[in-house]
């Protein structure tokens, strides 16, 4: 199993470190040729969604990524990665890959609550969650399973091969969300 991590900007090293600790082979996605090789899953890290969206377009990776995701390539987006995947962003005229059937709200917790830590359920089990100028999900469409709710807001979802969290599991020492993603990847390998 080989998982690519989008390394254009943001918190990508942390994802690579966790995957490596879990014994998973990783590689960095920095340009189009990286996306053209064979691999089994991809992580879109946190950072700044507008910048990452622009770089994906500038580097001509954008359409290829959409095609792969629509062809069942497992993808895991954290925070800005969730925004990249969202079909719509309620408070931003931009949208990016738009493969995930949700409406997200960007910087949704305001300035005061820009960053916070909590412990809440992910897929039924308590895990630590770190939020940094995080989005949340306002609405989910068809086929979207809700995996976490914090303060009445949806913060983790799955739609078939797509997993997205508003929080940063890569910034904690709990690897449950990564293990959950690795399972999606495993089950997708024919
Ligand atoms: N606020 C960022 C955005 O809108 C996301 C923050 C994050 O990834 N930690 O893209």
């Amino acid at each position: 199993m080989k998982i690519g991590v989008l390394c254009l900007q943001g918190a990508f090293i942390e994802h690579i470190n966790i995957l490596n600790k879990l014994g998973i082979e990783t590689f960095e996605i920095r340009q189009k040729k990286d996306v053209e090789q064979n691999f089994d899953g991809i992580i879109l890290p946190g950072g700044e969604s507008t910048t990452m969206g622009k770089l994906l377009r500038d580097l001509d990776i954008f359409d290829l990524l959409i095609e792969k995701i629509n062809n069942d390539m497992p993808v895991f987006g954290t925070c800005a990665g969730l925004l990249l995947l969202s079909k719509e962003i309620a408070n931003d005229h931009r949208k990016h890959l738009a493969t995930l059937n949700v409406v997200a709200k960007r910087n949704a917790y305001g300035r005061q609550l820009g960053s916070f830590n909590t412990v809440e359920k992910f897929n039924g089990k308590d895990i630590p969650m770190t939020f940094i100028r995080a989005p949340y999900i306002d609405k989910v469409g068809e086929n979207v399973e809700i995996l976490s709710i914090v303060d009445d807001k949806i913060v983790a979802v799955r739609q078939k091969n797509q997993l997205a969290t508003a929080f940063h599991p890569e910034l904690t020492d709990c690897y449950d969300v990564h293990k959950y993603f690795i399972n999606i990847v495993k089950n997708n390998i024919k």
Side-chain angles (χ1 to χ4, degrees):
M1 177 192 303
K2 193 168 162 191
I3 296 182
V5 179
L6 188 69
C7 295
L8 302 180
Q9 192 263 339
F12 51 83
I13 295 291
E14 292 81 354
H15 283 290
I16 292 175
N17 290 343
I18 292 183
L19 290 175
N20 290 340
K21 274 187 198 160
L22 293 171
I24 304 294
E25 186 188 344
T26 58
F27 70 101
E28 301 187 357
I29 295 180
R30 294 184 180 273
Q31 45 185 315
K32 191 172 185 186
K33 72 170 175 41
D34 301 325
V35 191
E36 286 166 340
Q37 61 176 296
N38 278 331
F39 55 98
D40 305 303
I42 180 166
I43 292 187
L44 310 177
E48 221 285 325
S49 53
T50 311
T51 309
M52 272 196 270
K54 182 178 183 308
L55 287 169
L56 286 176
R57 289 173 177 94
D58 291 351
L59 293 164
D60 199 20
I61 294 177
F62 196 81
D63 292 332
L64 199 54
L65 216 50
I66 294 176
E67 192 187 308
K68 291 223 177 219
I69 297 169
N70 285 337
N71 282 327
D72 288 341
M73 159 79 63
V75 60
F76 172 23
T78 55
C79 202
L82 177 152
L83 290 165
L84 288 178
L85 291 171
S86 298
K87 191 183 71 181
E88 200 182 315
I89 303 173
N91 52 346
D92 194 332
H93 64 280
R94 279 166 291 238
K95 56 182 167 187
H96 304 285
L97 302 168
T99 51
L100 180 67
N101 202 0
V102 304
V103 181
K105 193 168 172 206
R106 204 177 164 201
N107 299 327
Y109 294 90
R111 282 201 161 193
Q112 300 282 316
L113 281 173
S115 303
F116 62 99
N117 295 307
T118 186
V119 175
E120 291 282 352
K121 295 221 172 342
F122 170 80
N123 195 30
K125 191 182 162 208
D126 275 342
I127 62 159
M129 297 179 184
T130 296
F131 291 81
I132 303 170
R133 291 185 59 70
Y136 58 67
I137 292 171
D138 245 349
K139 277 187 215 138
V140 296
E142 246 176 68
N143 302 322
V144 178
E145 182 188 353
I146 295 171
L147 297 171
S148 300
I149 294 182
V150 172
D151 293 336
D152 298 327
K153 309 294 185 203
I154 300 165
V155 295
V157 293
R158 172 176 180 184
Q159 179 188 325
K160 223 174 132 204
N161 54 317
Q162 303 183 67
L163 174 67
T165 63
F167 53 91
H168 289 264
E170 79 284 8
L171 300 182
T172 69
D173 53 13
C174 169
Y175 305 156
D176 286 6
V177 185
H178 287 83
K179 287 181 187 161
Y180 183 94
F181 179 60
I182 290 165
N183 253 323
I184 295 178
V185 178
K186 247 184 219 157
N187 291 328
N188 194 57
I189 298 174
K190 311 260 163 18

